[in-house]
Amino acid sequence: MSEHTWEALATRMAEMARVLLVQESVQDTLDQIARHAVVLVPGCEYAGVLTVEGRRKVRTLSATDDLVRRSDAAQEEAGEGPCFDAARRPHQIYRIDDMTSRVRRWPRYAPHARELGIGSMMGFLLFTEDDNLGALDLYSTKPQQFTDQSEQTAWILASHAAVAFSSARSHAQLATALESRHDIGEALGIIMERYKVSEDEAFAVLKKSSQDHNVKLREIARRVSETGRIPGAR
């Protein structure tokens, strides 16, 4: 890649980074990541972000085309696939130049990929969290469409995307935590007033209700705030 091309790419990546950081939600951030992959990575026709939960549960978080969703579903059904591997093995980048020929590595998934019209694809790790792993997957309907330049560009894009996604997720978690704190505080006040108990005793009541109903504490608190009653209490 020439110096001029690298300079142009750096500029476009910087512009993408700014766009990602001003998105209003995690979903908007994921959608922008997928859209930018199609625009910026040479040879990429479709892109998506998937998560692998546990050992083989696959969920599509974002997709620019139904082909991506169907590929994710095929990988889940087969329990194998390049993006599966990209999510599970973060130090490797997966690039399959020709899915139309016999691919021995994924004997159950590869036939589905051919039926979907996938010619070549790549996968990159985006994040890991507990047992959940996320990957960016890129597709072309033609073989031999991804070059070394494609791989380098996608790796840089995935690196920027991982940072932006982490930031968006942190903001979302903070907002949820603040909302939960507000609901819990309001619920505690209601219980303390109604049952004439201390704050610690009110919290114990909330916690027991959460355990008895197998519902998260913040949801129990929200119900108390909305109804003025503890679920199940007479």
Side-chain angles (χ1 to χ4, degrees), residues 212-234:
D212 289 346
H213 293 84
N214 194 28
V215 175
K216 291 183 178 180
L217 185 67
R218 65 173 179 267
E219 176 60 22
I220 292 293
R222 186 184 63 79
R223 294 181 188 179
V224 173
S225 297
E226 291 178 350
T227 66
R229 296 180 57 84
I230 302 169
R234 296 181 179 179

mmCIF file with all atom_site columns, all heavy atoms in Angstrom, residues 212-234:
data_model
loop_
_atom_site.group_PDB
_atom_site.id
_atom_site.type_symbol
_atom_site.label_atom_id
_atom_site.label_alt_id
_atom_site.label_comp_id
_atom_site.label_asym_id
_atom_site.label_entity_id
_atom_site.label_seq_id
_atom_site.pdbx_PDB_ins_code
_atom_site.Cartn_x
_atom_site.Cartn_y
_atom_site.Cartn_z
_atom_site.occupancy
_atom_site.B_iso_or_equiv
_atom_site.pdbx_formal_charge
_atom_site.auth_seq_id
_atom_site.auth_comp_id
_atom_site.auth_asym_id
_atom_site.auth_atom_id
_atom_site.pdbx_PDB_model_num
ATOM 1   N N   . ASP A 1 212 ? -37.257 -14.983 45.939 1.00 0.00 ? 212 ASP A N   1
ATOM 2   C CA  . ASP A 1 212 ? -38.467 -15.812 45.915 1.00 0.00 ? 212 ASP A CA  1
ATOM 3   C C   . ASP A 1 212 ? -39.077 -15.888 44.523 1.00 0.00 ? 212 ASP A C   1
ATOM 4   O O   . ASP A 1 212 ? -39.614 -16.917 44.123 1.00 0.00 ? 212 ASP A O   1
ATOM 5   C CB  . ASP A 1 212 ? -39.511 -15.246 46.889 1.00 0.00 ? 212 ASP A CB  1
ATOM 6   C CG  . ASP A 1 212 ? -39.120 -15.443 48.350 1.00 0.00 ? 212 ASP A CG  1
ATOM 7   O OD1 . ASP A 1 212 ? -38.183 -16.236 48.608 1.00 0.00 ? 212 ASP A OD1 1
ATOM 8   O OD2 . ASP A 1 212 ? -39.734 -14.793 49.223 1.00 0.00 ? 212 ASP A OD2 1
ATOM 9   N N   . HIS A 1 213 ? -39.004 -14.772 43.785 1.00 0.00 ? 213 HIS A N   1
ATOM 10  C CA  . HIS A 1 213 ? -39.622 -14.725 42.459 1.00 0.00 ? 213 HIS A CA  1
ATOM 11  C C   . HIS A 1 213 ? -38.623 -14.969 41.325 1.00 0.00 ? 213 HIS A C   1
ATOM 12  O O   . HIS A 1 213 ? -39.001 -14.965 40.152 1.00 0.00 ? 213 HIS A O   1
ATOM 13  C CB  . HIS A 1 213 ? -40.302 -13.361 42.247 1.00 0.00 ? 213 HIS A CB  1
ATOM 14  C CG  . HIS A 1 213 ? -41.489 -13.140 43.131 1.00 0.00 ? 213 HIS A CG  1
ATOM 15  N ND1 . HIS A 1 213 ? -41.376 -12.678 44.423 1.00 0.00 ? 213 HIS A ND1 1
ATOM 16  C CD2 . HIS A 1 213 ? -42.816 -13.332 42.898 1.00 0.00 ? 213 HIS A CD2 1
ATOM 17  C CE1 . HIS A 1 213 ? -42.589 -12.578 44.960 1.00 0.00 ? 213 HIS A CE1 1
ATOM 18  N NE2 . HIS A 1 213 ? -43.477 -12.965 44.067 1.00 0.00 ? 213 HIS A NE2 1
ATOM 19  N N   . ASN A 1 214 ? -37.349 -15.165 41.686 1.00 0.00 ? 214 ASN A N   1
ATOM 20  C CA  . ASN A 1 214 ? -36.295 -15.375 40.689 1.00 0.00 ? 214 ASN A CA  1
ATOM 21  C C   . ASN A 1 214 ? -36.286 -14.253 39.654 1.00 0.00 ? 214 ASN A C   1
ATOM 22  O O   . ASN A 1 214 ? -36.215 -14.475 38.445 1.00 0.00 ? 214 ASN A O   1
ATOM 23  C CB  . ASN A 1 214 ? -36.470 -16.735 39.998 1.00 0.00 ? 214 ASN A CB  1
ATOM 24  C CG  . ASN A 1 214 ? -35.229 -17.142 39.211 1.00 0.00 ? 214 ASN A CG  1
ATOM 25  O OD1 . ASN A 1 214 ? -34.103 -16.747 39.543 1.00 0.00 ? 214 ASN A OD1 1
ATOM 26  N ND2 . ASN A 1 214 ? -35.422 -17.912 38.158 1.00 0.00 ? 214 ASN A ND2 1
ATOM 27  N N   . VAL A 1 215 ? -36.392 -13.026 40.170 1.00 0.00 ? 215 VAL A N   1
ATOM 28  C CA  . VAL A 1 215 ? -36.400 -11.823 39.341 1.00 0.00 ? 215 VAL A CA  1
ATOM 29  C C   . VAL A 1 215 ? -35.305 -10.893 39.848 1.00 0.00 ? 215 VAL A C   1
ATOM 30  O O   . VAL A 1 215 ? -35.070 -10.803 41.057 1.00 0.00 ? 215 VAL A O   1
ATOM 31  C CB  . VAL A 1 215 ? -37.771 -11.104 39.417 1.00 0.00 ? 215 VAL A CB  1
ATOM 32  C CG1 . VAL A 1 215 ? -37.742 -9.790  38.650 1.00 0.00 ? 215 VAL A CG1 1
ATOM 33  C CG2 . VAL A 1 215 ? -38.873 -12.014 38.885 1.00 0.00 ? 215 VAL A CG2 1
ATOM 34  N N   . LYS A 1 216 ? -34.632 -10.213 38.946 1.00 0.00 ? 216 LYS A N   1
ATOM 35  C CA  . LYS A 1 216 ? -33.545 -9.329  39.346 1.00 0.00 ? 216 LYS A CA  1
ATOM 36  C C   . LYS A 1 216 ? -34.030 -8.254  40.304 1.00 0.00 ? 216 LYS A C   1
ATOM 37  O O   . LYS A 1 216 ? -35.163 -7.786  40.224 1.00 0.00 ? 216 LYS A O   1
ATOM 38  C CB  . LYS A 1 216 ? -32.902 -8.683  38.113 1.00 0.00 ? 216 LYS A CB  1
ATOM 39  C CG  . LYS A 1 216 ? -32.125 -9.671  37.256 1.00 0.00 ? 216 LYS A CG  1
ATOM 40  C CD  . LYS A 1 216 ? -31.448 -8.985  36.082 1.00 0.00 ? 216 LYS A CD  1
ATOM 41  C CE  . LYS A 1 216 ? -30.627 -9.981  35.265 1.00 0.00 ? 216 LYS A CE  1
ATOM 42  N NZ  . LYS A 1 216 ? -29.955 -9.341  34.113 1.00 0.00 ? 216 LYS A NZ  1
ATOM 43  N N   . LEU A 1 217 ? -33.125 -7.866  41.192 1.00 0.00 ? 217 LEU A N   1
ATOM 44  C CA  . LEU A 1 217 ? -33.462 -6.899  42.230 1.00 0.00 ? 217 LEU A CA  1
ATOM 45  C C   . LEU A 1 217 ? -33.998 -5.591  41.646 1.00 0.00 ? 217 LEU A C   1
ATOM 46  O O   . LEU A 1 217 ? -34.972 -5.022  42.155 1.00 0.00 ? 217 LEU A O   1
ATOM 47  C CB  . LEU A 1 217 ? -32.222 -6.618  43.095 1.00 0.00 ? 217 LEU A CB  1
ATOM 48  C CG  . LEU A 1 217 ? -32.437 -5.714  44.316 1.00 0.00 ? 217 LEU A CG  1
ATOM 49  C CD1 . LEU A 1 217 ? -33.320 -6.407  45.341 1.00 0.00 ? 217 LEU A CD1 1
ATOM 50  C CD2 . LEU A 1 217 ? -31.092 -5.343  44.940 1.00 0.00 ? 217 LEU A CD2 1
ATOM 51  N N   . ARG A 1 218 ? -33.370 -5.095  40.573 1.00 0.00 ? 218 ARG A N   1
ATOM 52  C CA  . ARG A 1 218 ? -33.811 -3.825  40.005 1.00 0.00 ? 218 ARG A CA  1
ATOM 53  C C   . ARG A 1 218 ? -35.224 -3.921  39.434 1.00 0.00 ? 218 ARG A C   1
ATOM 54  O O   . ARG A 1 218 ? -35.965 -2.942  39.431 1.00 0.00 ? 218 ARG A O   1
ATOM 55  C CB  . ARG A 1 218 ? -32.827 -3.343  38.937 1.00 0.00 ? 218 ARG A CB  1
ATOM 56  C CG  . ARG A 1 218 ? -32.720 -4.209  37.699 1.00 0.00 ? 218 ARG A CG  1
ATOM 57  C CD  . ARG A 1 218 ? -31.849 -3.524  36.656 1.00 0.00 ? 218 ARG A CD  1
ATOM 58  N NE  . ARG A 1 218 ? -31.689 -4.305  35.453 1.00 0.00 ? 218 ARG A NE  1
ATOM 59  C CZ  . ARG A 1 218 ? -30.686 -5.149  35.226 1.00 0.00 ? 218 ARG A CZ  1
ATOM 60  N NH1 . ARG A 1 218 ? -29.758 -5.331  36.155 1.00 0.00 ? 218 ARG A NH1 1
ATOM 61  N NH2 . ARG A 1 218 ? -30.612 -5.823  34.093 1.00 0.00 ? 218 ARG A NH2 1
ATOM 62  N N   . GLU A 1 219 ? -35.609 -5.117  38.945 1.00 0.00 ? 219 GLU A N   1
ATOM 63  C CA  . GLU A 1 219 ? -36.959 -5.294  38.415 1.00 0.00 ? 219 GLU A CA  1
ATOM 64  C C   . GLU A 1 219 ? -37.978 -5.295  39.550 1.00 0.00 ? 219 GLU A C   1
ATOM 65  O O   . GLU A 1 219 ? -39.061 -4.717  39.422 1.00 0.00 ? 219 GLU A O   1
ATOM 66  C CB  . GLU A 1 219 ? -37.042 -6.595  37.620 1.00 0.00 ? 219 GLU A CB  1
ATOM 67  C CG  . GLU A 1 219 ? -38.422 -6.942  37.090 1.00 0.00 ? 219 GLU A CG  1
ATOM 68  C CD  . GLU A 1 219 ? -39.000 -5.893  36.153 1.00 0.00 ? 219 GLU A CD  1
ATOM 69  O OE1 . GLU A 1 219 ? -38.233 -5.108  35.568 1.00 0.00 ? 219 GLU A OE1 1
ATOM 70  O OE2 . GLU A 1 219 ? -40.238 -5.865  36.015 1.00 0.00 ? 219 GLU A OE2 1
ATOM 71  N N   . ILE A 1 220 ? -37.638 -5.945  40.666 1.00 0.00 ? 220 ILE A N   1
ATOM 72  C CA  . ILE A 1 220 ? -38.519 -5.926  41.831 1.00 0.00 ? 220 ILE A CA  1
ATOM 73  C C   . ILE A 1 220 ? -38.691 -4.484  42.320 1.00 0.00 ? 220 ILE A C   1
ATOM 74  O O   . ILE A 1 220 ? -39.796 -4.037  42.639 1.00 0.00 ? 220 ILE A O   1
ATOM 75  C CB  . ILE A 1 220 ? -37.950 -6.807  42.960 1.00 0.00 ? 220 ILE A CB  1
ATOM 76  C CG1 . ILE A 1 220 ? -37.985 -8.291  42.563 1.00 0.00 ? 220 ILE A CG1 1
ATOM 77  C CG2 . ILE A 1 220 ? -38.723 -6.589  44.259 1.00 0.00 ? 220 ILE A CG2 1
ATOM 78  C CD1 . ILE A 1 220 ? -39.379 -8.866  42.425 1.00 0.00 ? 220 ILE A CD1 1
ATOM 79  N N   . ALA A 1 221 ? -37.564 -3.752  42.368 1.00 0.00 ? 221 ALA A N   1
ATOM 80  C CA  . ALA A 1 221 ? -37.611 -2.354  42.815 1.00 0.00 ? 221 ALA A CA  1
ATOM 81  C C   . ALA A 1 221 ? -38.490 -1.523  41.886 1.00 0.00 ? 221 ALA A C   1
ATOM 82  O O   . ALA A 1 221 ? -39.263 -0.664  42.350 1.00 0.00 ? 221 ALA A O   1
ATOM 83  C CB  . ALA A 1 221 ? -36.201 -1.788  42.865 1.00 0.00 ? 221 ALA A CB  1
ATOM 84  N N   . ARG A 1 222 ? -38.395 -1.767  40.593 1.00 0.00 ? 222 ARG A N   1
ATOM 85  C CA  . ARG A 1 222 ? -39.210 -1.012  39.634 1.00 0.00 ? 222 ARG A CA  1
ATOM 86  C C   . ARG A 1 222 ? -40.699 -1.290  39.857 1.00 0.00 ? 222 ARG A C   1
ATOM 87  O O   . ARG A 1 222 ? -41.527 -0.369  39.810 1.00 0.00 ? 222 ARG A O   1
ATOM 88  C CB  . ARG A 1 222 ? -38.826 -1.393  38.203 1.00 0.00 ? 222 ARG A CB  1
ATOM 89  C CG  . ARG A 1 222 ? -39.512 -0.561  37.132 1.00 0.00 ? 222 ARG A CG  1
ATOM 90  C CD  . ARG A 1 222 ? -39.160 -1.056  35.733 1.00 0.00 ? 222 ARG A CD  1
ATOM 91  N NE  . ARG A 1 222 ? -39.633 -2.411  35.515 1.00 0.00 ? 222 ARG A NE  1
ATOM 92  C CZ  . ARG A 1 222 ? -40.905 -2.712  35.229 1.00 0.00 ? 222 ARG A CZ  1
ATOM 93  N NH1 . ARG A 1 222 ? -41.824 -1.752  35.127 1.00 0.00 ? 222 ARG A NH1 1
ATOM 94  N NH2 . ARG A 1 222 ? -41.263 -3.966  35.043 1.00 0.00 ? 222 ARG A NH2 1
ATOM 95  N N   . ARG A 1 223 ? -41.030 -2.551  40.128 1.00 0.00 ? 223 ARG A N   1
ATOM 96  C CA  . ARG A 1 223 ? -42.431 -2.905  40.367 1.00 0.00 ? 223 ARG A CA  1
ATOM 97  C C   . ARG A 1 223 ? -42.960 -2.231  41.631 1.00 0.00 ? 223 ARG A C   1
ATOM 98  O O   . ARG A 1 223 ? -44.098 -1.761  41.667 1.00 0.00 ? 223 ARG A O   1
ATOM 99  C CB  . ARG A 1 223 ? -42.573 -4.427  40.477 1.00 0.00 ? 223 ARG A CB  1
ATOM 100 C CG  . ARG A 1 223 ? -42.273 -5.181  39.198 1.00 0.00 ? 223 ARG A CG  1
ATOM 101 C CD  . ARG A 1 223 ? -42.456 -6.678  39.388 1.00 0.00 ? 223 ARG A CD  1
ATOM 102 N NE  . ARG A 1 223 ? -41.983 -7.439  38.234 1.00 0.00 ? 223 ARG A NE  1
ATOM 103 C CZ  . ARG A 1 223 ? -42.017 -8.775  38.154 1.00 0.00 ? 223 ARG A CZ  1
ATOM 104 N NH1 . ARG A 1 223 ? -42.497 -9.480  39.174 1.00 0.00 ? 223 ARG A NH1 1
ATOM 105 N NH2 . ARG A 1 223 ? -41.567 -9.383  37.081 1.00 0.00 ? 223 ARG A NH2 1
ATOM 106 N N   . VAL A 1 224 ? -42.119 -2.216  42.672 1.00 0.00 ? 224 VAL A N   1
ATOM 107 C CA  . VAL A 1 224 ? -42.520 -1.559  43.914 1.00 0.00 ? 224 VAL A CA  1
ATOM 108 C C   . VAL A 1 224 ? -42.740 -0.064  43.666 1.00 0.00 ? 224 VAL A C   1
ATOM 109 O O   . VAL A 1 224 ? -43.717 0.534   44.152 1.00 0.00 ? 224 VAL A O   1
ATOM 110 C CB  . VAL A 1 224 ? -41.455 -1.764  45.013 1.00 0.00 ? 224 VAL A CB  1
ATOM 111 C CG1 . VAL A 1 224 ? -41.789 -0.927  46.254 1.00 0.00 ? 224 VAL A CG1 1
ATOM 112 C CG2 . VAL A 1 224 ? -41.363 -3.237  45.401 1.00 0.00 ? 224 VAL A CG2 1
ATOM 113 N N   . SER A 1 225 ? -41.853 0.551   42.898 1.00 0.00 ? 225 SER A N   1
ATOM 114 C CA  . SER A 1 225 ? -41.959 1.984   42.598 1.00 0.00 ? 225 SER A CA  1
ATOM 115 C C   . SER A 1 225 ? -43.236 2.282   41.826 1.00 0.00 ? 225 SER A C   1
ATOM 116 O O   . SER A 1 225 ? -43.881 3.320   42.030 1.00 0.00 ? 225 SER A O   1
ATOM 117 C CB  . SER A 1 225 ? -40.748 2.452   41.790 1.00 0.00 ? 225 SER A CB  1
ATOM 118 O OG  . SER A 1 225 ? -39.560 2.295   42.536 1.00 0.00 ? 225 SER A OG  1
ATOM 119 N N   . GLU A 1 226 ? -43.618 1.386   40.914 1.00 0.00 ? 226 GLU A N   1
ATOM 120 C CA  . GLU A 1 226 ? -44.792 1.613   40.064 1.00 0.00 ? 226 GLU A CA  1
ATOM 121 C C   . GLU A 1 226 ? -46.107 1.318   40.782 1.00 0.00 ? 226 GLU A C   1
ATOM 122 O O   . GLU A 1 226 ? -47.117 1.996   40.550 1.00 0.00 ? 226 GLU A O   1
ATOM 123 C CB  . GLU A 1 226 ? -44.688 0.756   38.804 1.00 0.00 ? 226 GLU A CB  1
ATOM 124 C CG  . GLU A 1 226 ? -43.584 1.187   37.848 1.00 0.00 ? 226 GLU A CG  1
ATOM 125 C CD  . GLU A 1 226 ? -43.472 0.289   36.640 1.00 0.00 ? 226 GLU A CD  1
ATOM 126 O OE1 . GLU A 1 226 ? -44.127 -0.789  36.638 1.00 0.00 ? 226 GLU A OE1 1
ATOM 127 O OE2 . GLU A 1 226 ? -42.747 0.635   35.686 1.00 0.00 ? 226 GLU A OE2 1
ATOM 128 N N   . THR A 1 227 ? -46.118 0.289   41.622 1.00 0.00 ? 227 THR A N   1
ATOM 129 C CA  . THR A 1 227 ? -47.371 -0.174  42.247 1.00 0.00 ? 227 THR A CA  1
ATOM 130 C C   . THR A 1 227 ? -47.497 0.200   43.722 1.00 0.00 ? 227 THR A C   1
ATOM 131 O O   . THR A 1 227 ? -48.600 0.199   44.271 1.00 0.00 ? 227 THR A O   1
ATOM 132 C CB  . THR A 1 227 ? -47.500 -1.689  42.128 1.00 0.00 ? 227 THR A CB  1
ATOM 133 O OG1 . THR A 1 227 ? -46.464 -2.328  42.906 1.00 0.00 ? 227 THR A OG1 1
ATOM 134 C CG2 . THR A 1 227 ? -47.371 -2.138  40.678 1.00 0.00 ? 227 THR A CG2 1
ATOM 135 N N   . GLY A 1 228 ? -46.346 0.488   44.362 1.00 0.00 ? 228 GLY A N   1
ATOM 136 C CA  . GLY A 1 228 ? -46.366 0.769   45.798 1.00 0.00 ? 228 GLY A CA  1
ATOM 137 C C   . GLY A 1 228 ? -46.496 -0.475  46.635 1.00 0.00 ? 228 GLY A C   1
ATOM 138 O O   . GLY A 1 228 ? -46.685 -0.408  47.853 1.00 0.00 ? 228 GLY A O   1
ATOM 139 N N   . ARG A 1 229 ? -46.394 -1.639  46.002 1.00 0.00 ? 229 ARG A N   1
ATOM 140 C CA  . ARG A 1 229 ? -46.533 -2.914  46.714 1.00 0.00 ? 229 ARG A CA  1
ATOM 141 C C   . ARG A 1 229 ? -45.370 -3.838  46.393 1.00 0.00 ? 229 ARG A C   1
ATOM 142 O O   . ARG A 1 229 ? -44.790 -3.784  45.298 1.00 0.00 ? 229 ARG A O   1
ATOM 143 C CB  . ARG A 1 229 ? -47.844 -3.617  46.311 1.00 0.00 ? 229 ARG A CB  1
ATOM 144 C CG  . ARG A 1 229 ? -49.102 -2.856  46.696 1.00 0.00 ? 229 ARG A CG  1
ATOM 145 C CD  . ARG A 1 229 ? -50.331 -3.624  46.254 1.00 0.00 ? 229 ARG A CD  1
ATOM 146 N NE  . ARG A 1 229 ? -50.365 -4.971  46.828 1.00 0.00 ? 229 ARG A NE  1
ATOM 147 C CZ  . ARG A 1 229 ? -50.838 -5.255  48.046 1.00 0.00 ? 229 ARG A CZ  1
ATOM 148 N NH1 . ARG A 1 229 ? -51.294 -4.265  48.822 1.00 0.00 ? 229 ARG A NH1 1
ATOM 149 N NH2 . ARG A 1 229 ? -50.853 -6.497  48.476 1.00 0.00 ? 229 ARG A NH2 1
ATOM 150 N N   . ILE A 1 230 ? -45.048 -4.725  47.341 1.00 0.00 ? 230 ILE A N   1
ATOM 151 C CA  . ILE A 1 230 ? -44.028 -5.754  47.125 1.00 0.00 ? 230 ILE A CA  1
ATOM 152 C C   . ILE A 1 230 ? -44.676 -6.922  46.413 1.00 0.00 ? 230 ILE A C   1
ATOM 153 O O   . ILE A 1 230 ? -45.740 -7.415  46.871 1.00 0.00 ? 230 ILE A O   1
ATOM 154 C CB  . ILE A 1 230 ? -43.440 -6.225  48.465 1.00 0.00 ? 230 ILE A CB  1
ATOM 155 C CG1 . ILE A 1 230 ? -42.835 -5.042  49.228 1.00 0.00 ? 230 ILE A CG1 1
ATOM 156 C CG2 . ILE A 1 230 ? -42.391 -7.318  48.246 1.00 0.00 ? 230 ILE A CG2 1
ATOM 157 C CD1 . ILE A 1 230 ? -42.482 -5.358  50.659 1.00 0.00 ? 230 ILE A CD1 1
ATOM 158 N N   . PRO A 1 231 ? -44.126 -7.405  45.288 1.00 0.00 ? 231 PRO A N   1
ATOM 159 C CA  . PRO A 1 231 ? -44.749 -8.541  44.572 1.00 0.00 ? 231 PRO A CA  1
ATOM 160 C C   . PRO A 1 231 ? -44.974 -9.733  45.491 1.00 0.00 ? 231 PRO A C   1
ATOM 161 O O   . PRO A 1 231 ? -44.070 -10.169 46.208 1.00 0.00 ? 231 PRO A O   1
ATOM 162 C CB  . PRO A 1 231 ? -43.684 -8.863  43.500 1.00 0.00 ? 231 PRO A CB  1
ATOM 163 C CG  . PRO A 1 231 ? -43.003 -7.556  43.259 1.00 0.00 ? 231 PRO A CG  1
ATOM 164 C CD  . PRO A 1 231 ? -42.936 -6.895  44.603 1.00 0.00 ? 231 PRO A CD  1
ATOM 165 N N   . GLY A 1 232 ? -46.206 -10.215 45.498 1.00 0.00 ? 232 GLY A N   1
ATOM 166 C CA  . GLY A 1 232 ? -46.533 -11.386 46.298 1.00 0.00 ? 232 GLY A CA  1
ATOM 167 C C   . GLY A 1 232 ? -46.967 -11.065 47.707 1.00 0.00 ? 232 GLY A C   1
ATOM 168 O O   . GLY A 1 232 ? -47.501 -11.922 48.430 1.00 0.00 ? 232 GLY A O   1
ATOM 169 N N   . ALA A 1 233 ? -46.761 -9.804  48.136 1.00 0.00 ? 233 ALA A N   1
ATOM 170 C CA  . ALA A 1 233 ? -47.142 -9.427  49.506 1.00 0.00 ? 233 ALA A CA  1
ATOM 171 C C   . ALA A 1 233 ? -48.625 -9.156  49.593 1.00 0.00 ? 233 ALA A C   1
ATOM 172 O O   . ALA A 1 233 ? -49.252 -8.673  48.646 1.00 0.00 ? 233 ALA A O   1
ATOM 173 C CB  . ALA A 1 233 ? -46.369 -8.198  49.945 1.00 0.00 ? 233 ALA A CB  1
ATOM 174 N N   . ARG A 1 234 ? -49.191 -9.467  50.751 1.00 0.00 ? 234 ARG A N   1
ATOM 175 C CA  . ARG A 1 234 ? -50.625 -9.217  50.961 1.00 0.00 ? 234 ARG A CA  1
ATOM 176 C C   . ARG A 1 234 ? -50.846 -7.901  51.672 1.00 0.00 ? 234 ARG A C   1
ATOM 177 O O   . ARG A 1 234 ? -49.991 -7.411  52.358 1.00 0.00 ? 234 ARG A O   1
ATOM 178 C CB  . ARG A 1 234 ? -51.213 -10.364 51.776 1.00 0.00 ? 234 ARG A CB  1
ATOM 179 C CG  . ARG A 1 234 ? -51.151 -11.716 51.051 1.00 0.00 ? 234 ARG A CG  1
ATOM 180 C CD  . ARG A 1 234 ? -51.770 -12.800 51.919 1.00 0.00 ? 234 ARG A CD  1
ATOM 181 N NE  . ARG A 1 234 ? -51.740 -14.091 51.217 1.00 0.00 ? 234 ARG A NE  1
ATOM 182 C CZ  . ARG A 1 234 ? -52.216 -15.232 51.768 1.00 0.00 ? 234 ARG A CZ  1
ATOM 183 N NH1 . ARG A 1 234 ? -52.761 -15.206 52.987 1.00 0.00 ? 234 ARG A NH1 1
ATOM 184 N NH2 . ARG A 1 234 ? -52.156 -16.340 51.095 1.00 0.00 ? 234 ARG A NH2 1
#
